[in-house]
């Protein structure tokens, strides 16, 4: 059974909080896609964790971003003085701060399985992958080089229902007026393979918005292709309305995404001790070991486009228009050799043959760039900083409980 679940998506708050800069609408799950602070100082992190922990959501999921520099231990030890000079922060204390905020799940390129348990909530389940990384640019944290990108994003589990990354995928919610598309192509290809229901990002403030991506899964000529893309007209622009997109079954055109990670499964329960059984924690996390296997951790309670042509556009419900484009975004020479097409040889355990097998219901992904800061770094707006509204998304997810 599926139930509507409401996600409130934000990113790039850069020390701003709902006590004046913006308002948080009600929802089931809060997602923050990084750049919690300006420079990752202890006081900045504590202020941000304070307001997130107090936000009225059953589950709060976050990733860091390139500005949260003290959370990237290796980076801060090498470049901390570049940002903080003689006022270096105790980066270990910064990272340990989260222990005081058990209601926040901070993902660092790892996975969590979420069960919404509130009696008056949707009581749904989903698997989420979260990562703070973005393509290296200047001396900022969590940067990676182009030759590291494909291995990095191949770690997204094929059954992830929600993917939260600081960087956007290339060509989707990633344009800035000065630089054009700045997202990551390897991430876009990973999203083609995984095809999650929801992909939340930030980083490129000017790319704030949403796109509904339909994946081409039938082409015999190669992988990583798209069938169509829907663009939005912001329903909250210039008024007091929420920036809400309803992709649940209540809409005439719900998101085409099934084959969920935890469909039909109950949350694990403790052995019968003769007393009332407590519920499992709402979030259970995994992290990566050195041999690339997953290790379960402690319980956590936690618009020109490069070479792309647009044809006709039709307007759908919820402010979404669909642009039909030629299906092939990459020619064969541009595709990495380690990721064969669906008719190619399976060269690894995570080849495209595996990505396509048995998951025909995963046809669309809703990409959200939820950047709250409307100006770009260094945020020197003449009349103060301006902020966007949170983006609210309703999608159907499977319930974890058995219903008669």
């Amino acid at each position: 059974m599926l139930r509507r679940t409401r996600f409130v998506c934000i990113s790039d708050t850069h020390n701003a909080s709902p006590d004046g800069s913006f308002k948080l609408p009600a929802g089931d799950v809060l997602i923050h896609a990084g750049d919690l602070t300006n420079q990752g100082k202890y006081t900045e992190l504590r202020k941000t964790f304070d307001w997130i922990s107090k936000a009225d959501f059953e589950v709060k999921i976050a990733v860091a971003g390139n500005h949260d520099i003290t959370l990237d231990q290796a980076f801060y030890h090498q470049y901390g003085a570049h940002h903080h000079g003689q006022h270096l922060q105790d980066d270990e204390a910064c990272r340990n701060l989260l222990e005081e905020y058990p209601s926040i799940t901070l993902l660092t390129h790892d996975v969590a399985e979420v069960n919404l348990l509130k009696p008056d909530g949707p009581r749904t389940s989903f698997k989420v992958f979260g990562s703070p990384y973005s393509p290296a640019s200047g001396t900022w944290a969590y940067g990676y080089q182009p030759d590291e990108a494909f291995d990095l994003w191949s770690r997204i589990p094929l059954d992830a229902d929600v993917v939260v990354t600081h960087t956007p995928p290339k060509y989707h919610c990633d344009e800035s007026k000065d630089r054009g598309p700045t997202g990551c192509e390897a991430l876009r290809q990973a999203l083609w393979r995984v095809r999650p229901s929801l992909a939340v990002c930030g980083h490129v403030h000017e790319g704030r918005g949403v796109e509904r991506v339909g994946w081409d899964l039938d082409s015999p000529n190669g992988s990583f292709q798209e069938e169509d893309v829907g663009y939005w007209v912001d329903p909250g622009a210039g008024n007091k309305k929420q920036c809400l997109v309803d992709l649940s079954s209540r809409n005439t055109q719900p998101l085409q995404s099934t084959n969920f990670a935890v469909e039909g499964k109950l949350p694990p329960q403790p052995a019968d001790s003769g007393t009332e059984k407590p519920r499992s924690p709402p979030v259970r996390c995994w992290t990566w070991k050195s041999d690339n296997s997953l290790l379960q951790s402690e319980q956590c309670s936690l618009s020109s486009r490069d070479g792309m042509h647009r044809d006709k556009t039709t307007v759908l419900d919820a402010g979404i228009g669909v642009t039909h484009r030629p299906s092939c975004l990459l020619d064969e020479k541009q595709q990495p050799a380690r990721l064969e097409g669906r008719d190619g040889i399976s060269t690894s355990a995570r080849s495209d043959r595996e990505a396509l097998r048995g998951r025909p219901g995963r046809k669309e992904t809703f990409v959200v760039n939820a950047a709250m800061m409307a100006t770009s770094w260094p945020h020197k707006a003449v009349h103060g900083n301006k902020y966007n509204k949170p983006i609210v998304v309703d999608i159907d997810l499977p319930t974890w409980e058995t219903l008669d």
Side-chain angles (χ1 to χ4, degrees):
M1 179 178 180
L2 301 180
R3 282 190 185 145
R4 179 170 59 94
T5 306
R6 176 159 292 185
F7 291 81
V8 176
C9 305
I10 60 175
S11 184
D12 298 85
T13 49
H14 291 282
N15 291 336
S17 62
D19 58 6
S21 300
F22 57 88
K23 295 182 179 179
L24 281 177
D28 303 304
V29 180
L30 176 66
I31 291 181
H32 195 307
D35 278 0
L36 306 156
T37 67
N38 275 333
Q39 289 193 330
K41 294 181 179 179
Y42 184 90
T43 53
E44 294 178 327
L45 288 166
R46 179 171 285 284
K47 175 186 175 183
T48 300
F49 290 154
D50 272 344
W51 72 255
I52 293 178
S53 68
K54 294 173 184 176
D56 188 16
F57 295 84
E58 183 174 356
V59 169
K60 287 155 276 193
I61 296 168
V63 300
N66 57 308
H67 278 258
D68 305 313
I69 59 176
T70 54
L71 301 182
D72 185 346
Q73 181 178 9
F75 172 86
Y76 195 72
H77 287 179
Q78 185 172 1
Y79 296 106
H82 173 81
H83 291 272
H84 295 153
Q86 296 180 351
H87 303 284
L88 285 174
Q89 302 290 295
D90 183 343
D91 59 304
E92 183 176 1
C94 289
R95 291 189 299 278
N96 291 339
L97 250 180
L98 203 65
E99 296 176 2
E100 301 179 28
Y101 301 93
S103 67
I104 303 172
T105 300
L106 185 72
L107 296 174
T108 53
H109 213 68
D110 49 11
V111 186
E113 196 167 289
V114 179
N115 299 304
L116 299 179
L117 305 176
K118 288 177 62 175
D120 58 347
R123 300 171 75 80
T124 50
S125 291
F126 60 93
K127 180 178 283 189
V128 56
F129 172 89
S131 176
Y133 290 98
S134 56
S137 178
T139 51
W140 293 100
Y142 295 110
Y144 59 87
Q145 298 301 321
D147 61 352
E148 301 173 302
F150 290 101
D151 284 336
L152 184 75
W153 297 120
S154 70
R155 293 188 174 190
I156 304 177
L158 291 178
D159 62 348
D161 303 307
V162 177
V163 172
V164 183
T165 58
H166 187 53
T167 184
K170 194 164 188 178
Y171 306 123
H172 298 295
C173 300
D174 69 331
E175 289 192 13
S176 62
K177 65 181 180 181
D178 296 328
R179 294 183 293 167
T182 56
C184 178
E185 172 60 18
L187 175 58
R188 189 193 71 83
Q189 294 185 19
L191 292 180
W192 178 91
R193 304 187 70 246
V194 177
R195 305 188 299 285
S197 296
L198 187 62
V200 184
C201 60
H203 191 45
V204 182
H205 298 186
E206 293 172 276
R208 186 258 184 185
V210 307
E211 294 185 9
R212 180 173 178 167
V213 181
W215 304 109
D216 180 0
L217 307 178
D218 298 320
S219 174
N221 299 319
S223 52
F224 315 127
Q225 302 178 16
E226 298 172 8
E227 193 168 72
D228 52 53
V229 176
Y231 303 94
W232 80 332
V233 177
D234 187 350
N239 56 52
K240 295 183 179 181
K241 296 180 180 179
Q242 291 184 0
C243 299
L244 169 65
V245 181
D246 187 357
L247 298 174
S248 71
S249 57
R250 300 195 311 176
N251 193 330
T252 58
Q253 295 176 319
L255 191 70
Q256 299 300 303
S257 181
T258 58
N259 300 127
F260 300 101
V262 290
E263 196 164 9
K265 295 182 181 179
L266 289 172
Q269 300 294 332
D272 189 359
S273 60
T275 59
E276 183 179 356
K277 299 176 182 179
R279 293 291 186 187
S280 63
V283 183
R284 190 176 296 273
C285 299
W286 285 259
T287 189
W288 288 96
K289 298 191 295 185
S290 59
D291 62 356
N292 286 343
S293 61
L294 280 173
L295 173 68
Q296 185 171 336
S297 70
E298 295 298 318
Q299 294 179 351
C300 302
S301 57
L302 310 173
S303 174
S304 63
R305 297 176 176 262
D306 285 350
M308 293 166 58
H309 305 285
R310 299 183 179 183
D311 294 314
K312 63 180 181 178
T313 299
T314 56
V315 177
L316 306 180
D317 289 346
I320 300 292
V322 170
T323 295
H324 301 279
R325 58 162 66 121
S327 62
C328 188
L329 296 181
L330 295 175
D331 61 36
E332 295 297 326
K333 293 180 181 179
Q334 292 176 289
Q335 296 180 14
R338 63 181 299 275
L339 294 178
E340 298 286 343
R342 65 180 299 175
D343 296 323
I345 300 172
S346 180
T347 57
S348 74
R350 303 188 64 78
S351 69
D352 292 343
R353 188 179 298 276
E354 180 185 358
L356 289 163
R357 182 185 298 120
R359 300 156 65 244
R362 292 190 172 216
K363 298 178 180 178
E364 293 184 319
T365 295
F366 197 64
V367 179
V368 178
N369 181 326
M372 297 297 294
M373 185 75 74
T375 55
S376 297
W377 178 261
H379 315 313
K380 295 180 179 179
V382 176
H383 302 292
N385 292 319
K386 296 181 179 180
Y387 298 91
N388 298 310
K389 296 178 182 178
I391 296 177
V392 184
V393 183
D394 288 349
I395 59 174
D396 289 328
L397 290 171
T399 57
W400 54 261
E401 58 188 343
T402 301
L403 299 176
D404 296 330

